[in-house]
Amino acid sequence: MIGSLLYLTASRPDILFSVCLCARFQSNPKESHLFAVKRIFKYLAYTPTLGLWYSRDSSFDLHSYSDADFGGYKVDRKSTSGSCQYLGSMLVSWFSKKQNSVALSTTEAEYIAVGSCAQILWQKQQLVDYGIYVKDVSIKCDNTSSICLAKNPVHHSRTKHIDIRYHFLREHVESGDIVLEYILTEKQVTDIFTKPLDENSFSKFRREFGLCELE
């Protein structure tokens, strides 16, 4: 059941967080986990024609959203990173992943999430192969402290325990490959990849992805 759902997340980003959460219990599932998986199937049964819409009039403006749910996974208190990349108004890639280590602050969790920017850098290079040159690719984040950490080396003394590989983000910010932008939390669409949401927020972000009835 989980394998089928993971395959489906390639075209249905709205179920990614819940499916990935259930997948963590594959080795030792309980009845409650089976009930959660069946609820996902029930949701899919009621939305069989929902799909991503790609408009031919969309621009080639490459940008990304990044977010993290600090300590949201109550089993081991690790944070969940979420990210999605847009080409104009079209959602082209997305992921939801539990972080490898326990973050000690919201800033650290958000910084690690934003640091996973290799995907958008790869997409930027791919566009060059098609003769499309994108400058100042923006990554939208709702945490000002993590943005300051990427720009100001003084903050590094407070976060020496962060793995050095995450600090390559600052190098790309300095070189102008990417630009970190602040965005209000209520406009952070990546919330759908990091935490459970109420029905109104879930429906709003689902529309932001371009998911609509394709009948």
Side-chain angles (χ1 to χ4, degrees):
M1 294 168 73
I2 292 294
S4 300
L5 290 172
L6 285 172
Y7 178 80
L8 190 58
T9 57
S11 59
R12 290 291 298 268
D14 51 330
I15 64 170
L16 181 63
F17 171 73
S18 54
V19 172
C20 289
L21 186 60
C22 292
R24 298 171 189 173
F25 300 95
Q26 276 184 286
S27 60
N28 186 26
K30 297 181 180 179
E31 187 176 350
S32 58
H33 303 136
L34 179 61
F35 177 74
V37 172
K38 287 183 177 180
R39 285 195 64 183
I40 299 174
F41 277 106
K42 186 177 180 180
Y43 166 72
L44 292 171
Y46 278 97
T47 56
T49 59
L50 205 63
L52 289 168
W53 174 259
Y54 295 107
S55 172
R56 68 175 66 182
D57 300 322
S58 179
S59 67
F60 287 94
D61 175 31
L62 184 63
H63 60 280
S64 174
Y65 292 83
S66 176
D67 192 31
D69 182 26
F70 172 53
Y73 187 51
K74 295 183 179 180
V75 175
D76 56 13
R77 283 302 178 183
K78 291 183 179 179
S79 304
T80 301
S81 297
S83 179
C84 60
Q85 289 76 41
Y86 282 83
L87 197 58
S89 60
M90 302 179 294
L91 182 67
V92 292
S93 66
W94 51 90
F95 79 85
S96 175
K97 181 182 178 182
K98 186 174 71 169
Q99 295 181 1
N100 294 328
S101 57
V102 178
L104 301 181
S105 66
T106 304
T107 300
E108 182 180 340
E110 295 274 2
Y111 184 72
I112 291 174
V114 177
S116 304
C117 60
Q119 179 72 12
I120 199 167
L121 293 172
W122 176 81
Q123 290 172 353
K124 179 181 179 181
Q125 185 58 44
Q126 285 293 103
L127 289 175
V128 172
D129 296 338
Y130 292 97
I132 301 173
Y133 296 88
V134 182
K135 294 182 179 180
D136 299 333
V137 177
S138 67
I139 299 180
K140 297 176 174 62
C141 175
D142 61 0
N143 185 273
T144 55
S145 296
S146 60
I147 295 175
C148 291
L149 182 60
K151 296 179 179 179
N152 188 354
V154 175
H155 289 263
H156 289 195
S157 61
R158 304 178 187 175
T159 51
K160 289 181 179 179
H161 52 279
I162 298 179
D163 196 300
I164 196 67
R165 70 188 184 96
Y166 293 114
H167 287 308
F168 90 104
L169 169 66
R170 181 170 172 266
E171 180 181 341
H172 286 290
V173 170
E174 286 184 337
S175 63
D177 293 331
I178 58 177
V179 175
L180 298 182
E181 295 182 10
Y182 175 75
I183 187 173
L184 296 175
T185 301
E186 50 268 25
K187 294 183 179 180
Q188 179 56 275
V189 297
T190 322
D191 272 352
I192 202 172
F193 297 139
T194 61
K195 60 179 74 70
L197 300 173
D198 59 83
E199 184 177 352
N200 291 334
S201 298
F202 181 83
S203 299
K204 181 182 73 171
F205 291 147
R206 190 176 65 182
R207 289 192 299 270
E208 291 288 333
F209 288 150
L211 279 165
C212 58
E213 299 290 340
L214 298 180
E215 281 186 328

